[in-house]
Amino acid sequence: MKLIRIFIFLFAFPVFAQEGGMWIPSLLEGMNEDEMQSLGMKMSAEDIYSVNQSSLKDAVPHFNGGCTSEVISPKGLLLTNHHCGYSQIQSHSTVENDYLKDGFWAKNLEAELPNPGMTVTFIKEITDVTEQVLKGTENASSEEERQQIIEKNKQSVIDSSPKEAWQTNRISTFYEGNQFMLFRVETFKDIRLVGAPPSSIGKFGSDTDNWMWPRHTGDFSLFRIYADKNNKPAEYSKDNVPYKPKHFLPVSLDGVEQNDFTLVFGFPGTTDEYLPAVAVEQIVNTINPARIGLREVALKEQDVFMRKDQQIKIQYASKYARIANYYKKWIGESQGLKKTDAVGIKKAQEKAFMNTVKAKGLSKEYGSLLSDLDKAYAEYEDYNLAYNLFSEAFIRNVELLRNGFQLYQLEQVLQARGEQSFNDRKANLLEDFKASYKDYNAQVDEKVFEKVIAFYAENMPEQFMANNLKSQNKLTLTNNIYNNSALTSYASIEKLLEGNANDAVKALNEDPGYSFVKEQAQKFYESVLPTYRNKSLEIDALQKKYMKGILELSPEDARIFPNANGTLRVTYGQVKGYQPRDAVEYQPVSYLDGVIEKYVPGDYEFDVPQKLIDLYNQKDYGQYAENGKMPVNFIGTNHTTGGNSGSPVIDANGNLIGLNFDRVWEGTMSDIYYDPSISRNIMVDARYILFIIDKYAGATHLIDEMKLVHPKQKGKNKRKDKKKK
Ligand code: ARG
Ligand code: ASP
């Protein structure tokens, strides 16, 4: 056995020495199962994913399409992050009952709050359907025809695969188009808000602490799944009853220590682990600097106003947080990519790949692949930059530009689909505007506009900008638009769009704000988008081939996991500190003492509720303390990304020990290159959640419906038994 292994290692080049990994739960048997057990896991692959018996997967639904959640009681109680339930919590809040500020705790089932439109989705079964989906594609004469065959095959697999009436079949693409999986899923639609701590706990540290360790955030909220009387998904009805899950997670009171096994189960959104060096260079040198720079000027202007005006602070808090989140992430990502020399490592991998290609006589298929990628990415660069600059400026950071761009699309609807579609779209748009303009401040937006447009003009390649934006005086341009455009208030937009479609479009085109957007947007559609799209398709096809090569040429036991694609994955690792900088060592667990250390009375990020201070002073931690201290957050080596928020952190025996919500700054490049020495995910300790629910909120009825366990005590006995043998 050993000899064979050595033989493989000598003769198969380490094409891709990949660390980390987000694994498909139905394919854990073998390498993953062995590795997990060697890290301390006491479960089998079948305990994690099984179609026939209940397993962990039956407790882990996708939360409203973006986050993850887990069932933690036999009555469908659902745990996720505070930042995942944020908009639901906000939507139930008023000035008198501000649940974001003060928290919310339903006293009983009747008091739980419905959230129309919200869903959670369970995965019932995962099946590899690659063969059926790719059938007949060998003979396709073009990439286009190939895609058509694939689409047709997918539809017929979906239509012919068994499912219950209340379930759905869908297919997702893995390994950049080299593998296809069928998911049979069940979606619940009556999801009610049960509890949320105040933001001073659930969002403690806010933007300053975001993406950072040491962290002290109680980032959790509670919901409940309701079903019809047969326990099946149903639209909201007051007659619905709490869902009885196939499985729910017991909650461990034993906590964690360095090197404990952890498993994170959830729905990671997107990663790009198999980019060639040239693509990573492009992100670090061109794309990230552009989007970071643009967001920086926008955030800076907003911040000035938010600091001196309470109303503006409230109006812009959530918008600011959204922009700041990825702004900060990209900075960390670029630094991490540089520090780990991800480009150098990728180049070495590419060299090994080419050596293997030559050694195996596969030059015909893969010989030019990497130079093709180099060429394609080089041609793509300006278009990629332009695409990012345009979307940051005209869609994400300046409200008047975003609204103008939506109106531009409205005008396109009239041309493409006629008056009826125009009117429908207009009605929807006005409704959106009505909501968004409530939180609009034209003075703030004007400043943001001026600075963002200056950045845009400075950085956009000239051939992609409508006439002389560069030479225009930005202050004059801005003043003219904000003094004369109807896009600065809801009332004036509503008035502008009055009358029939032609009148509305005519009025739009006379508006200086709208004409500015239209001019730039038209230029973008003409000069950027077509080539951007073509190049993207070309790159996708090359990446698919590269992925195929990596899969074919890597040794049998190489860790080649598929990029995140919003489907259910298992990632695992250990509780571990790390060294962020020379001479600095981070511990893996933070405590309530740290919350008190960071406390700034009245501050919007670091205020602490009096009740929590009292509990701290009295050390009133109930059964949740660890040696007299209250644990708050911990970190581990689990490979996670956006979408893993709200994911359960599970111990060696299948109990809940934590709730995933973030990553550490130095390791955020893990979406592109995972480095086990500094990539860490951040989790809320389950005991802090229980403590807040029980001692802080007094919602003991929720604790009563959970199953609290002491697995380590049992575990110790087990180990002793083993030793005796
Ligand atoms: N960085 C985390 C994630 O990407 C948490 C974001 C929410 N928290 C915040 N302060 N904005 O989603
Ligand atoms: N905070 C992220 C989320 O909301 C998780 C991450 O990016 O690590 O999904």
Side-chain angles (χ1 to χ4, degrees), residues 51-241:
V51 177
N52 302 314
Q53 67 197 49
S54 74
S55 57
L56 292 183
K57 79 154 179 22
D58 299 311
V60 188
H62 209 175
F63 184 84
N64 219 13
C67 283
T68 306
S69 55
E70 51 277 358
V71 186
I72 54 167
S73 93
K75 294 200 273 182
L77 188 61
L78 201 61
L79 177 65
T80 189
N81 289 141
H82 187 265
H83 80 261
C84 294
Y86 201 78
S87 64
Q88 282 77 25
I89 304 167
Q90 183 174 41
S91 75
H92 294 294
S93 296
T94 58
V95 178
E96 300 79 46
N97 292 309
D98 188 344
Y99 301 142
L100 279 178
K101 182 165 163 285
D102 303 322
F104 168 76
W105 304 95
K107 294 221 155 32
N108 47 38
L109 293 180
E110 285 69 50
E112 297 178 358
L113 301 171
N115 301 285
M118 219 199 119
T119 60
V120 307
T121 299
F122 289 91
I123 307 302
K124 306 304 285 186
E125 186 170 9
I126 308 174
T127 316
D128 191 329
V129 292
T130 309
E131 217 170 290
Q132 293 99 296
V133 170
L134 292 180
K135 204 159 108 196
T137 53
E138 321 78 52
N139 309 321
S141 56
S142 67
E143 186 58 28
E144 209 181 359
E145 193 190 336
R146 225 186 86 91
Q147 286 308 328
Q148 281 167 3
I149 299 174
I150 289 177
E151 286 314 313
K152 226 173 111 219
N153 288 347
K154 274 186 174 166
Q155 199 51 51
S156 81
V157 172
I158 287 173
D159 294 342
S160 64
S161 301
K163 68 168 189 70
E164 302 293 347
W166 60 87
Q167 300 177 332
T168 312
N169 284 326
R170 57 168 84 127
I171 291 178
S172 294
T173 304
F174 293 73
Y175 293 114
E176 332 326 44
N178 289 287
Q179 187 182 32
F180 296 87
M181 292 285 196
L182 173 71
F183 291 79
R184 184 157 58 84
V185 308
E186 213 163 277
T187 297
F188 286 81
K189 296 172 183 153
D190 185 352
I191 315 298
R192 304 186 197 170
L193 177 63
V194 174
S199 293
S200 52
I201 292 173
K203 209 187 163 184
F204 183 74
S206 197
D207 296 312
T208 300
D209 270 11
N210 191 21
W211 300 111
M212 302 286 253
W213 185 254
R215 190 66 157 278
H216 299 87
T217 310
D219 194 345
F220 79 95
S221 59
L222 292 163
F223 287 77
R224 192 186 303 281
I225 306 173
Y226 281 75
D228 68 13
K229 59 181 191 312
N230 301 315
N231 206 35
K232 295 287 174 294
E235 296 293 338
Y236 168 78
S237 155
K238 64 178 187 358
D239 301 327
N240 285 346
V241 292

Side-chain angles (χ1 to χ4, degrees), residues 285-295 297 381-390 392-393 451-465 469-470 474:
N285 298 332
T286 308
I287 304 304
N288 276 357
R291 45 194 192 183
I292 290 165
L294 191 144
R295 285 192 180 198
V297 298
E381 183 154 12
D382 278 353
Y383 295 89
N384 193 11
L385 171 66
Y387 184 89
N388 275 281
L389 281 171
F390 185 84
E392 287 296 323
K451 294 290 153 52
V452 164
I453 283 304
F455 185 93
Y456 181 84
E458 201 51 49
N459 290 277
M460 188 69 144
E462 212 155 321
Q463 71 270 30
F464 301 139
M465 250 182 315
L469 188 51
K470 213 160 232 161
K474 305 303 174 307

Side-chain angles (χ1 to χ4, degrees), residues 237-365:
S237 155
K238 64 178 187 358
D239 301 327
N240 285 346
V241 292
Y243 169 63
K244 289 188 270 321
K246 206 168 157 196
H247 184 68
F248 68 91
L249 301 177
V251 186
S252 166
L253 286 168
D254 287 350
V256 296
E257 49 190 295
Q258 178 100 316
N259 295 330
D260 274 0
F261 172 79
T262 53
L263 183 155
V264 176
F265 211 175
F267 294 84
T270 323
T271 59
D272 285 301
E273 312 284 348
Y274 304 98
L275 293 177
V278 60
V280 179
E281 270 172 328
Q282 193 166 111
I283 291 170
V284 175
N285 298 332
T286 308
I287 304 304
N288 276 357
R291 45 194 192 183
I292 290 165
L294 191 144
R295 285 192 180 198
E296 190 159 283
V297 298
L299 288 167
K300 212 157 143 195
E301 295 308 320
Q302 289 186 0
D303 185 61
V304 172
F305 286 94
M306 285 168 74
R307 275 179 197 279
K308 55 181 192 211
D309 186 317
Q310 188 57 25
Q311 199 198 335
I312 293 178
K313 173 118 112 212
I314 295 171
Q315 286 180 316
Y316 280 78
S318 147
K319 286 182 270 197
Y320 186 92
R322 188 163 7 95
I323 300 173
N325 192 33
Y326 265 66
Y327 161 74
K328 195 164 177 182
K329 193 228 160 184
W330 290 323
I331 296 176
E333 179 178 275
S334 285
Q335 287 184 8
L337 288 169
K338 282 183 204 155
K339 190 175 167 183
T340 54
D341 188 25
V343 169
I345 291 167
K346 299 251 170 198
K347 280 191 175 149
Q349 287 170 343
E350 285 161 22
K351 214 165 155 195
F353 179 85
M354 286 314 293
N355 287 339
T356 311
V357 166
K358 273 183 215 128
K360 299 211 166 178
L362 292 171
S363 293
K364 193 156 167 254
E365 183 160 11

Side-chain angles (χ1 to χ4, degrees), residues 592-593 596 612-622 625 628-630 691 695:
L592 193 56
D593 307 65
I596 303 300
L612 190 58
I613 299 174
D614 294 344
L615 290 165
Y616 173 76
N617 288 333
Q618 292 147 15
K619 302 285 171 281
D620 185 4
Y621 302 148
K629 288 170 70 164
M630 188 65 236
F691 161 74
K695 291 287 176 176

Side-chain angles (χ1 to χ4, degrees), residues 276-278 346-347 349-354 357 366-377 542 546:
V278 60
K346 299 251 170 198
K347 280 191 175 149
Q349 287 170 343
E350 285 161 22
K351 214 165 155 195
F353 179 85
M354 286 314 293
V357 166
Y366 297 116
S368 70
L369 178 58
L370 285 161
S371 53
D372 290 348
L373 276 165
D374 278 348
K375 187 163 158 278
Y377 272 105
L542 290 169
Y546 187 31

